[in-house]
Amino acid sequence: RRKYKRLRAQLQAKGTKSAKRRLKKIGQRENRWMSDVNHRLTKTLIDHYGSNTIYALEDLTDVRFATEKSPKDQRYEIVSWAFYQFEQFLTYKANLNSSAVAKVPAKY
């Protein structure tokens, strides 16, 4: 994420037509990369724990990450993980493997 953030900043500073085209391609590449990371992580979890497992995920709806205390150059990385996508991947892979995903409220 840090690599793509730095590259985006450089291209946005240029502002040329070719830089804008490259920005669009980079955004798509970053999305594909993030999807791949989520797929590999959920596949590893399913393979490691096997079937008939209950995965407990924290319900992060309306949860705000406190980024004020984190270093400014790391804030984007802290809040930019695709949690919903991870949850969706884990849910469908768990269903295929006779497992279940339970959402637990964050305050508990």
Side-chain angles (χ1 to χ4, degrees), residues 18-31:
S18 61
K20 290 176 185 175
R21 276 195 303 261
R22 183 117 189 262
L23 274 168
K24 188 175 180 182
K25 285 184 180 181
I26 288 170
Q28 294 166 353
R29 185 182 312 146
E30 184 178 8
N31 289 339

Side-chain angles (χ1 to χ4, degrees), residues 74-91:
Q74 294 178 357
R75 288 181 189 167
Y76 176 72
E77 296 162 21
I78 291 170
V79 299
S80 66
W81 192 272
F83 292 110
Y84 181 75
Q85 184 186 55
F86 176 82
E87 176 189 338
Q88 296 302 306
F89 289 168
L90 186 62
T91 301

Side-chain angles (χ1 to χ4, degrees), residues 26-44:
I26 288 170
Q28 294 166 353
R29 185 182 312 146
E30 184 178 8
N31 289 339
R32 286 191 309 270
W33 173 78
M34 195 68 229
S35 294
D36 182 54
V37 169
N38 279 334
H39 266 298
R40 284 186 287 145
L41 187 56
T42 54
K43 184 178 179 357
T44 302

